[in-house]
């Protein structure tokens, strides 16, 4: 390792961060807006009871929250804390980075000559996210899969349908102080769903300025939390890119199977945002199979090194492993079918 | 534990957020943003920089007004990372970013990213084609794109060329040849890829060290290099130039 390589790695690392930070901020902003200005109780009530339809609805919610994979995690975490059914939250988590208007437009621009890529990407992501959301709905109570702090923040089972509005504010005054007490991980105290109810009512009656203050406070917390994780992920991605020869990844193959595996690996390593990854994939469009490009575009937004760090802020490692395994297998299957029959 | 330490925690958040705001705006103002992301995303960075500074200011005012609330706030955590780590990491990275100047990628990265395969390079965005009547107005990437569409090198033989780029010494070519190269950026530095043209010199390439920036004028010829027939520039004039402010092409 010499100085040039180190500087390359650092430049790459900064570049990933500089590109990701705006989207992260956008994500925590949407998360904050959702928290204080959208009535989740209504949103939760709107979600279909049926697990499959719920997963489908969750997957399509990306159109309401156009965030990439840096931004979908805070929103998904917020949704889980509000007591949204697991199928909806997981469907949203996996699909939102792809099923949203910005990514649709970017992919369309990049693959203007191959419009089928756009529809294959959207279609496969939707099917995979919905299916995994559906599978996770078998786990009625998501709590054992969640990080303790997130699990504690969820409304208890009976409160699920009327999940609280403001998870940070638990009473009228002083709200900021209360929010701190509420998140205190050290105490074993369970939050009573009635407190959420009270907070929701209290926050609902407050002037916009008050809600805005709470929202910005939440943004600061999430930004620092997720930002720290993002630093880790970007550092790993940058080091792998600079210190592992790209040929070592690319040489894995041109075949219908190996190319898919190589592109999935590349997607996970490069950790590039879904809003721009189609341009990156375009770079490989003539040397890699169509199926493998599709795998890159479908798998990358769901799972990458940067995102795994963020996912661990919601889920326990076991659940993250299930998510990765399911997403990888289904992506591979779709890409393989495309390689065999459509290219 | 010690109250003074706890009361510093909220300020750590303010510092981290403000530092990132400064960093983003500094990259923009010093032109270093060109090295990190595609110019299309400049506005996004600027808006984010301003937003972060506003957020930090708002937070600072809040702490000054109601310090007790924020002290308690800082002790709470959702926490994958231990208390205070998120802000500390963000702040540390922003300080490193302010201290260390990012540099444009050079030949080492180009070789690592497969510039040796450049003649077979087929990445192309047809909508970005820039038509030009005079062959000497074409940049390296224009040449490579033209070659992608019509890859017969003989079709260009005799045309004049005038290109700017940095030097790479490919190991699979004789000492009389070097590659003149540019990086193409589509989004951020994570996706830059190199494009290059072989240049035939009248002397050994060691006169022109790797990574030096050159403006090369000459005529297009067809050469067989590394077992492939390919287009090359027979250099008639070679001028060292300073590294451009924005070294990437699009």
């Amino acid at each position: 390792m010499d100085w040039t390589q180190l500087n390359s790695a650092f430049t790459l690392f900064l570049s990933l961060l500089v590109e990701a930070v705006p989207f992260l901020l956008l994500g925590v902003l949407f998360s904050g807006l959702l928290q204080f200005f959208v009535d989740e109780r209504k949103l939760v009530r709107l979600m279909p009871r049926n697990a499959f339809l719920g997963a489908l609805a969750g997957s399509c919610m990306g159109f309401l929250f156009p965030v990439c994979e840096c931004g979908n995690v805070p929103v998904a975490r917020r949704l889980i804390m509000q007591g949204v059914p697991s199928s909806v939250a997981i469907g949203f988590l996996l699909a939102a980075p792809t099923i949203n208007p910005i990514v649709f437009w970017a992919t369309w621009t990049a693959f203007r000559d191959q419009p089928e890529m756009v529809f294959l990407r959207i279609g496969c992501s939707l099917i995979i996210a919905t299916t995994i959301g559906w599978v996770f709905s078998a786990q009625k109570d998501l709590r054992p899969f969640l990080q303790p702090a997130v699990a504690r923040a969820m409304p208890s089972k009976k409160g699920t349908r009327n999940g609280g509005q403001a998870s940070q504010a638990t009473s009228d005054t002083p709200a900021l102080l209360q929010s701190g007490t509420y998140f205190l991980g050290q105490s074993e105290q369970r939050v009573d769903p009635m407190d959420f109810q009270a907070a929701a009512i209290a926050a609902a009656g407050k002037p916009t300025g008050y809600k805005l203050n709470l929202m910005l406070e939440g943004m600061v917390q999430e930004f620092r939390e997720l930002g720290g994780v993002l630093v880790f992920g970007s550092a790993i991605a940058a080091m792998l890119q600079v210190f592992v020869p790209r040929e070592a990844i690319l040489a894995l193959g041109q075949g219908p199977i190996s190319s898919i595996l190589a592109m999935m690996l590349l997607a996970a390593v490069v950790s590039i945002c879904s809003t721009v990854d189609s341009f990156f994939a375009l770079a490989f469009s003539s040397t890699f199979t169509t199926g493998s490009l599709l795998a890159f575009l479908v798998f990358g937004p769901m799972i990458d090194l940067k995102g795994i760090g963020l996912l661990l802020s919601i889920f326990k490692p076991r659940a993250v492993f299930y998510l990765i395994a399911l997403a990888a297998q289904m992506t591979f299957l779709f890409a393989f079918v495309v390689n065999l029959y459509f290219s | 534990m010690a109250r003074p330490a706890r009361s510093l925690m909220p300020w750590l958040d303010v510092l981290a957020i403000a530092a990132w705001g400064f960093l983003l705006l500094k990259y923009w103002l010093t032109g270093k943003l060109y090295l990190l992301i595609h110019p299309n995303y400049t506005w996004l960075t600027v808006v984010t920089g301003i937003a972060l500074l506003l957020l930090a200011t708002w937070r600072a005012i809040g702490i000054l007004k109601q310090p007790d609330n924020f002290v308690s706030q800082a002790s709470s955590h959702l926490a994958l990372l231990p208390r205070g780590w998120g802000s500390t990491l963000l702040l540390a990275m922003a300080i490193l970013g302010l201290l260390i100047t990012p540099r444009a990628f050079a030949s080492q990265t180009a070789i690592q990213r497969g510039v040796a395969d450049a003649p077979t390079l087929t990445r192309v965005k047809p909508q970005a084609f820039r038509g030009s009547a005079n062959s000497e107005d074409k940049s390296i990437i224009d040449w490579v794109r033209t070659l992608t569409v019509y890859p017969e090198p003989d079709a260009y033989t005799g045309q004049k060329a005038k290109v700017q780029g940095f030097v790479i010494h490919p190991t699979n070519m004789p000492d009389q040849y070097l590659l003149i190269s540019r990086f193409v950026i589509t989004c951020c530095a994570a996706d830059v890829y190199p494009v290059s043209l072989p240049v035939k010199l009248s002397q050994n390439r060691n006169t022109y060290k790797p990574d030096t920036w050159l403006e090369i004028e000459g005529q297009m010829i067809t050469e067989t290099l590394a077992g492939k027939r390919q287009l090359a520039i027979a250099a008639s004039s070679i001028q060292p130039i300073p590294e451009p402010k924005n070294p990437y092409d699009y």
Side-chain angles (χ1 to χ4, degrees):
Chain A
M1 182 196 312
D2 59 28
W3 173 242
T4 319
Q5 261 184 314
L6 209 59
N7 197 301
S8 290
F10 186 69
T11 305
L12 221 127
F13 164 71
L14 273 178
S15 160
L16 281 171
L17 281 179
V18 166
E19 192 226 318
V21 162
F23 290 101
L24 182 66
L25 192 65
L26 208 62
V28 299
L29 176 69
F30 272 111
S31 167
L33 286 174
L34 187 68
Q35 184 183 3
F36 288 104
F37 295 97
V38 175
D39 190 343
E40 286 90 354
R41 287 169 303 166
K42 280 187 188 154
L43 198 65
V44 172
R45 231 174 283 145
L46 279 177
M47 289 298 140
R49 296 290 289 167
N50 177 287
F52 177 77
L53 292 178
L56 187 64
S59 301
C60 294
M61 264 169 64
F63 267 100
L64 289 176
F65 304 100
V67 289
C68 73
E69 61 262 43
C70 319
N72 70 328
V73 175
V75 178
R77 187 163 73 169
R78 175 73 53 222
L79 285 175
I80 289 175
M81 286 176 173
Q82 305 295 352
V84 164
S86 53
S87 58
V88 176
I90 303 248
F92 173 81
L93 184 72
L94 295 175
T98 312
I99 314 292
N100 79 49
I102 299 173
V103 173
F104 186 86
W105 170 76
T107 317
W108 183 267
T109 311
F111 287 92
R112 204 167 284 175
D113 297 339
Q114 292 171 272
E116 70 273 14
M117 279 306 277
V118 183
F119 298 106
L120 280 172
R121 179 181 200 185
I122 302 284
C124 289
S125 301
L126 199 59
I127 294 171
I128 293 173
T130 306
T131 310
I132 297 179
W134 196 20
V135 167
F136 266 73
S137 73
Q139 177 79 14
K140 288 286 177 244
D141 185 4
L142 209 51
R143 259 174 261 264
F145 281 168
L146 299 174
Q147 291 289 352
V150 180
R152 262 195 302 276
M154 280 174 79
S156 76
K157 243 184 170 174
K158 61 173 180 173
T160 302
R161 292 281 296 155
N162 300 315
Q165 163 111 342
S167 59
Q168 294 196 358
T170 50
S171 92
D172 198 346
T173 49
L176 290 176
L177 181 66
Q178 286 290 341
S179 72
T181 319
Y182 162 63
F183 274 130
L184 259 181
Q186 291 77 3
S187 92
E188 288 303 314
Q189 165 199 357
R190 275 295 265 271
V191 178
D192 190 325
M194 290 314 289
D195 283 349
F196 282 101
Q197 206 59 31
I201 293 161
K206 291 285 176 185
T208 309
Y210 173 84
K211 286 202 250 179
L212 196 69
N213 254 4
L214 278 185
M215 186 192 96
L216 289 173
E217 178 57 35
M219 277 178 67
V220 169
Q221 286 205 31
E222 287 206 335
F223 185 78
R224 121 186 120 201
E225 182 78 23
L226 299 173
V229 180
L230 187 68
V231 166
F232 268 126
S234 302
I236 294 169
M239 283 192 289
L240 283 178
Q241 266 211 51
V242 171
F243 300 118
V244 178
R246 189 169 282 213
E247 290 82 4
I249 295 171
L250 298 189
L252 281 172
Q254 302 277 316
I257 292 179
S258 54
S259 65
I260 298 173
L261 295 177
M263 285 307 270
M264 281 169 67
L265 184 67
L266 193 67
V269 168
V270 169
S271 299
I272 197 161
C273 273
S274 62
T275 41
V276 293
D277 62 357
S278 39
F279 298 105
F280 188 72
L282 190 65
F284 297 90
S285 60
S286 55
T287 42
F288 271 75
T289 57
T290 309
S292 69
L293 294 179
L294 182 68
F296 181 91
L297 293 174
V298 169
F299 188 63
M302 293 183 184
I303 307 290
D304 61 32
L305 285 181
K306 192 175 65 184
I308 290 172
L310 293 175
L311 281 179
L312 284 169
S313 68
I314 304 182
F315 297 105
K316 287 185 175 158
R318 184 166 57 113
V320 173
F321 174 77
Y322 292 154
L323 281 176
I324 297 174
L326 282 172
Q329 288 170 19
M330 291 183 66
T331 307
F332 179 82
L333 197 69
F334 278 117
F336 190 55
V337 168
V338 167
N339 268 353
L340 285 190
Y341 298 106
F342 300 101
S343 58
Chain B
M1 220 185 59
R3 192 174 165 79
R6 279 183 58 188
S7 65
L8 284 180
M9 294 286 283
W11 287 106
L12 197 61
D13 292 344
V14 174
L15 277 178
I17 292 171
W20 268 96
F22 273 120
L23 184 67
L24 295 181
L25 291 179
K26 184 203 156 186
Y27 282 147
W28 173 52
L29 292 171
T30 56
K32 294 293 175 194
L33 205 52
Y34 284 125
L35 300 180
L36 300 176
I37 59 167
H38 190 284
N40 280 355
Y41 300 96
T42 303
W43 66 270
L44 199 62
T45 312
V46 175
V47 170
T48 307
I50 295 169
L52 289 176
L53 286 180
L54 287 177
L55 191 61
T57 311
W58 168 83
R59 173 86 176 195
I61 294 172
I63 298 173
L64 291 173
K65 271 189 182 166
Q66 295 174 296
D68 287 346
N69 285 353
F70 284 89
V71 169
S72 147
Q73 190 74 24
S75 64
S76 68
H77 223 286
L78 271 177
L80 179 65
L81 298 169
R83 206 174 99 187
W85 276 45
S87 293
T88 310
L89 263 179
L90 280 172
L91 182 60
M93 290 310 122
I95 291 172
L96 272 182
L98 288 167
L99 292 179
I100 303 175
T101 311
R103 280 205 318 220
F105 292 123
S107 57
Q108 195 176 11
T109 312
I111 289 166
Q112 197 213 8
R113 295 195 175 191
V115 75
D117 313 326
T120 58
L121 189 122
T122 45
R123 306 168 200 230
V124 64
K125 276 205 295 176
Q127 68 271 28
F129 245 102
R130 280 166 293 217
S132 57
N134 299 321
S135 59
E136 58 263 48
D137 293 340
K138 279 184 182 161
S139 68
I140 297 171
I141 188 164
D142 292 333
W143 277 108
V144 172
R145 281 177 181 153
T146 313
L147 270 171
T148 308
V149 177
Y150 189 65
E152 172 49 57
D154 286 342
Y156 312 99
T157 299
Q159 288 190 7
K160 282 184 186 165
K162 183 178 173 184
V163 295
Q164 297 180 331
F166 63 88
V167 173
I168 296 175
H169 288 179
T171 48
N172 60 350
M173 289 183 191
D175 284 348
Q176 213 187 337
Y177 294 86
L178 56 78
L179 288 176
I180 189 86
S181 319
R182 281 304 266 269
F183 276 108
V184 178
I185 187 170
T186 49
C187 160
C188 68
D191 63 47
V192 295
Y193 62 91
V195 291
S196 66
L197 284 173
V199 177
K200 186 179 185 182
L201 307 169
S202 50
Q203 74 264 49
N204 189 293
R205 66 188 176 197
N206 287 334
T207 322
Y208 306 102
K209 296 270 173 265
D211 301 338
T212 40
W213 280 79
L214 300 177
E215 180 175 271
I216 292 181
E217 286 185 66
Q219 276 202 328
M220 287 306 189
I221 52 171
T222 304
E223 292 285 282
T224 301
L225 292 168
K228 287 181 199 130
R229 278 177 73 249
Q230 51 181 284
L231 196 65
I233 306 174
S236 55
S237 146
I238 299 178
Q239 294 293 328
I241 54 168
E243 181 182 315
K245 189 176 152 210
N246 178 4
Y248 300 132
D249 206 335
Y250 307 104

